[in-house]
Amino acid sequence: MTSAVDVRQVTVTYGSTLVLDGIDLRVPEGAAVALVGENGAGKSTLLRCITGLQEPSAGDISVFEAVPGRGADFWRQVATTVESPSWYQGLTVREHLDLVRVVNGGDPGDGHIDELCTTLGLTGLCDSLPITLSSGQRQRFLLAATLVRPSRLLVLDEPEQRLDTRIKRAIAAHLRSYVRAGGTLIMASHDDGFRVGVGADEIVLTRPES
Ligand SMILES: Nc1ncnc2c1ncn2[C@@H]1O[C@H](COP(=O)(O)OP(=O)(O)OP(=O)(O)O)[C@@H](O)[C@H]1O
């Protein structure tokens, strides 16, 4: 099966601190994997490297057989919540989702956004400005803005964070369907029930010094 993500001997150091030590990971297209492990094990660091938002200190990564993060072609295939969240202050939740869908060549009126808003419990918040949302509502909005993009690979950092139980179940089912339809998912998670709900295989990261 073709590799969606190929991580070869990746090492990351911050100054004299070794965070990732020669990591190898291959994620076949159509698979779902969850990076698990204690706080500080390097899960977010590895996800950032996979999106090309951070350069490893050593080793190589390819995503769909290309260097990650370089150019529009990569970002047309990969949707992620790894980068710091941002939004336009003057646009509502729904206006953001419409905008993201349109610029990615989709039709905002095709029902996809409505369905996603129902899944994520955002329907009643569509006219709200992101700044007025609670932390859990904001997490749902940012997930929606990521999931509304057509993609072949989702890279999500603790998507279950701050979500209530009902929404967590709904988003797990949504991600499972995404993978069943041929998408590839790599995420970090601290919630084993959520990971199982998604159907993701676990990859355990440990801190190099432990
Ligand atoms: N910019 C940075 N500068 C220095 N050290 C950093 C930086 N970013 C992360 N680290 C360190 O790298 C290690 C791994 O951090 P990372 O955020 O990847 O862990 P994690 O497994 O995602 O943790 P958590 O479960 O808490 O989210 C930690 O020890 C952290 O302090």
Side-chain angles (χ1 to χ4, degrees):
M1 201 179 283
T2 325
S3 277
V5 177
D6 216 339
V7 174
R8 295 172 301 271
Q9 286 294 298
V10 161
T11 293
V12 172
T13 54
Y14 290 111
S16 59
T17 309
L18 182 61
V19 174
L20 297 174
D21 187 11
I23 299 289
D24 287 306
L25 172 66
R26 183 178 166 270
V27 183
E29 200 162 0
V33 301
L35 306 180
V36 304
E38 63 182 316
N39 293 134
K43 303 179 294 295
S44 302
T45 301
L46 183 54
L47 293 182
R48 275 200 302 275
C49 291
I50 287 169
T51 55
L53 296 168
Q54 179 169 345
E55 281 282 324
S57 313
D60 293 300
I61 299 181
S62 47
V63 174
F64 300 123
E65 296 177 344
V67 177
R70 305 269 172 84
D73 192 46
F74 175 84
W75 292 111
R76 266 193 287 274
Q77 302 183 78
V78 180
T80 183
T81 57
V82 166
E83 79 274 31
S84 301
S86 56
W87 53 78
Y88 295 101
Q89 297 300 348
L91 296 186
T92 65
V93 164
R94 176 70 198 216
E95 285 165 347
H96 277 90
L97 300 181
D98 286 352
L99 182 66
V100 173
R101 188 96 180 129
V102 168
V103 295
N104 284 282
D107 173 5
D110 66 2
H112 186 82
I113 295 177
D114 294 331
E115 197 185 313
L116 206 50
C117 285
T118 305
T119 302
L120 285 161
L122 284 170
T123 307
L125 297 170
C126 277
D127 293 331
S128 301
L129 295 173
I131 194 76
T132 67
L133 302 177
S134 75
S135 66
Q137 291 169 338
R138 203 172 287 169
Q139 169 74 349
R140 291 193 246 154
F141 158 60
L142 293 168
L143 270 175
T146 302
L147 297 175
V148 81
R149 289 184 50 203
S151 67
R152 286 172 77 191
L153 172 67
L154 277 174
V155 184
L156 305 179
D157 198 354
E158 297 179 36
E160 78 279 4
Q161 224 180 22
R162 295 185 291 272
L163 299 182
D164 63 48
T165 309
R166 187 179 65 82
I167 299 292
K168 232 188 259 191
R169 280 205 199 102
I171 194 72
H174 183 91
L175 294 176
R176 188 182 271 270
S177 304
Y178 173 84
V179 173
R180 204 178 292 133
T184 307
L185 168 69
I186 180 162
M187 65 178 185
S189 178
H190 282 294
D191 184 329
D192 205 48
F194 179 76
R195 177 187 70 76
V196 170
V198 171
D201 294 330
E202 81 178 352
I203 305 286
V204 182
L205 286 190
T206 49
R207 295 166 69 115
E209 68 273 23
S210 59

